[in-house]
Amino acid sequence: MRVTGTGHASMRIDTAAGSILCDPWVNPAYFASWFPFPDNSLLDWETLGRVDYLYVSHLHRDHFDAKHLREFVSKDATVLLPEFPTSEMEDELRALGFTKFLRAPNEQVVELDGGLKIMIQALTSPTDGPIGDSSLWVEYDGVRLLNQNDARPTDLTVFAELGHVHAHLLQFSGAIWYPMVYELPQAAKTAFGKQKRERQFDRTWRYIDDLKADHVFPIAGPPCFLDDALWQFNDIHGDEGNIFPDQSVFLSEYAKVGGTNGIVLLPGSVAEVTTSGATTTHPQPVEEFFANKKAHLEEMRERKRGVIEAEKASWRHPEIDVLAGMKRRIEPLLDESIYLAKGVGGPVRFDLVGYDGSEVESIVVDFPGKEVRPYADEKVRYRFRTERALIEHLLYIDEVDWVNSLFLSCRFSAARIGQYNEFVYAFFKCLSTERLQYAEGWYDEHERAVDAEDVTLGDWVVQRRCPHLKADLTRFGIVEGDQLTCQLHGWKFDLPSGRCLTSVGHKIRATRP
């Protein structure tokens, strides 16, 4: 099995029975904030795009690059489609010209032509990507590969049971806006960022240990930030709280926990994987490339400056009445929402900075009141500050997912009183009736579900499944004193009270024996 690195979470898998292109991402994403690094735009995409199968793990725009899929991927390719709860993935791919789809039943092995086998595990929580994420398992002639990309399954047993895995490709770096955008003292940002960076690696080591593959490939990050306003997010400034460590840092940290089987793929690197080993060739020495990371980023920044400026020029739509547009988009969904509205539990304020950088219009999404209205000088627990032009653009393109656009762009600042609230972000990624109804139904089902099984962790008896996303706490739970941490997402619980310390709600059942 030949694996060609094509950047970020993208790869091309070649076997004698067929080829699969996974998650090709080349063009900037999230308001031109994220770019693939190392740069993959100079690869021979005309050739790489002539494949038998296409697999897109989910709709995040650093995995689903519509422009690139339209221009460079053969429409004769059969799409390996995860079993997601909505039809959005298929609808978007059909709009790009794809017509052949294999709808893979969840967690079931499918044999393709020539003995090539695949299995897709779809994750379907409202907090998994933009309503869904997935992983792809591939087997040919006894060689097995798991492309986990940035999916976070609670258990890899379903893959391990299919036989020993020879190549495990998974995320290790950050892919979110926390804590960089929060209006906090720099010392606090650094401390929170350091904690998150450590949790990212801990989760990665856990997955690696679960699967025990012959070879581990760090993929799906980090992006790079080429806009001058975001340049500080690149991990080149000696900030121990930076959540975007690169592949060379992965190898260094992996070595500290005994890891010796890591393989880095640059764009254009080729790994020949067999049941007995892997041979890798690179377009340039990996160590040398990352030793010159800053210079590569600076060169790339200058080369992409025009792309960024052209994107920025398209965002302003002064003809749009933002307040009226937000009312039209959001108020009907507030009327339909029960669980998400209750979960948010208060008003959310948007401070919109005008074109001149000084004028500010403040708009409140009032979840209890079920309305969008001008800010009335009241106290709010959640506040976002961003450019008015970005909201204009979201309304102009009728964007249904403001998380997979505005928030991942990091082109905003945020403040909150109290804990993180997952329902705020769940709502703003569900700005369509289809998405909202699915999310409401999911929360309704999980609200009514009774997790009766208990396990002993340390000096406590707790429910086996994490109240957040049902991770098995016998595997991911760590008890220190009276506090439990679920390492899958880093959520913490106070055991004497059962209270979640990370987010609103999600109380855990816990007693002393």
Side-chain angles (χ1 to χ4, degrees), residues 216-228:
V216 173
F217 297 77
I219 64 164
C224 65
F225 301 86
L226 303 182
D227 190 348
D228 292 339

Side-chain angles (χ1 to χ4, degrees), residues 352-388:
L352 307 182
V353 181
Y355 298 163
D356 63 0
S358 59
E359 179 187 357
V360 176
E361 178 183 8
S362 294
I363 296 173
V364 164
V365 180
D366 185 345
F367 283 82
K370 305 283 189 175
E371 66 173 336
V372 177
R373 55 176 172 77
Y375 174 57
D377 201 30
E378 73 262 46
K379 184 176 181 179
V380 298
R381 290 185 62 193
Y382 310 104
R383 175 172 58 79
F384 301 105
R385 182 182 179 91
T386 191
E387 295 179 40
R388 176 190 171 92

Side-chain angles (χ1 to χ4, degrees), residues 177-183 189 233 407 410-415:
W177 53 87
Y178 173 85
M180 304 88 67
V181 303
Y182 278 87
E183 297 168 10
K189 283 187 185 182
F233 296 153
F407 294 128
C410 299
R411 294 185 183 276
F412 73 104
S413 65

Side-chain angles (χ1 to χ4, degrees), residues 185-465:
Q186 187 56 50
K189 283 187 185 182
T190 299
F192 291 140
K194 186 177 179 181
Q195 291 173 7
K196 180 163 181 58
R197 183 173 171 127
E198 291 171 351
R199 287 201 306 268
Q200 291 167 178
F201 281 126
D202 286 343
R203 181 173 59 243
T204 303
W205 310 150
R206 182 63 61 93
Y207 281 133
I208 291 171
D209 186 61
D210 282 350
L211 204 58
K212 294 180 174 59
D214 289 347
H215 308 286
V216 173
F217 297 77
I219 64 164
C224 65
F225 301 86
L226 303 182
D227 190 348
D228 292 339
L230 306 171
W231 181 254
Q232 72 272 15
F233 296 153
N234 295 302
D235 193 14
I236 55 174
H237 307 291
D239 176 11
E240 62 180 353
N242 188 288
I243 71 163
F244 300 111
D246 62 34
Q247 293 90 331
S248 65
V249 177
F250 167 87
L251 291 180
S252 176
E253 293 298 315
Y254 190 31
K256 293 177 183 178
V257 296
T260 59
N261 60 342
I263 299 176
V264 170
L265 295 177
L266 300 175
S269 295
V270 176
E272 299 282 355
V273 182
T274 68
T275 56
S276 58
T279 303
T280 310
T281 57
H282 303 287
Q284 57 183 300
V286 172
E287 289 186 8
E288 178 182 306
F289 177 85
F290 285 103
N292 295 303
K293 177 180 178 178
K294 185 176 180 182
H296 288 303
L297 283 169
E298 289 172 340
E299 182 276 331
M300 192 176 172
R301 175 172 61 174
E302 293 308 311
R303 187 157 40 88
K304 301 292 187 181
R305 195 176 293 277
V307 174
I308 295 172
E309 293 307 313
E311 289 264 352
K312 287 182 176 180
S314 71
W315 299 339
R316 293 186 179 184
H317 298 280
E319 74 280 6
I320 289 180
D321 182 330
V322 172
L323 175 61
M326 289 180 66
K327 286 176 75 68
R328 282 193 301 271
R329 159 64 73 185
I330 295 172
E331 284 188 349
L333 301 174
L334 290 174
D335 286 338
E336 293 182 39
S337 179
I338 298 172
Y339 286 94
L340 294 183
K342 179 183 176 182
V344 176
V348 175
R349 178 173 132 202
F350 286 83
D351 292 338
L352 307 182
V353 181
Y355 298 163
D356 63 0
S358 59
E359 179 187 357
V360 176
E361 178 183 8
S362 294
I363 296 173
V364 164
V365 180
D366 185 345
F367 283 82
K370 305 283 189 175
E371 66 173 336
V372 177
R373 55 176 172 77
Y375 174 57
D377 201 30
E378 73 262 46
K379 184 176 181 179
V380 298
R381 290 185 62 193
Y382 310 104
R383 175 172 58 79
F384 301 105
R385 182 182 179 91
T386 191
E387 295 179 40
R388 176 190 171 92
L390 302 187
I391 304 297
E392 290 174 349
H393 188 69
L394 294 175
L395 294 170
Y396 179 79
I397 64 173
D398 205 26
E399 177 61 62
V400 302
D401 186 344
W402 288 16
V403 173
N404 189 23
S405 49
L406 173 62
F407 294 128
L408 280 170
S409 78
C410 299
R411 294 185 183 276
F412 73 104
S413 65
R416 69 173 189 248
I417 299 171
Q419 299 166 310
Y420 167 78
N421 188 324
E422 76 169 69
F423 298 100
V424 173
Y425 297 101
F427 181 84
F428 283 106
K429 70 166 62 172
C430 292
L431 300 183
S432 72
T433 297
E434 182 181 28
R435 285 193 176 201
L436 183 77
Q437 289 299 318
Y438 172 73
E440 288 285 318
W442 191 92
Y443 280 110
D444 179 50
E445 178 184 343
H446 284 72
E447 180 84 5
R448 291 182 286 104
V450 177
D451 189 345
E453 185 178 1
D454 289 330
V455 295
T456 299
L457 296 177
D459 296 331
W460 290 87
V461 174
V462 302
Q463 65 188 63
R464 178 167 185 160
R465 295 288 173 177

Side-chain angles (χ1 to χ4, degrees), residues 68-89:
H68 188 78
L69 291 168
R70 180 188 298 111
E71 295 177 358
F72 288 101
V73 181
S74 169
K75 303 308 175 290
D76 290 329
T78 297
V79 177
L80 304 176
L81 198 66
E83 191 175 38
F84 286 145
T86 73
S87 64
E88 287 182 74
M89 173 80 81

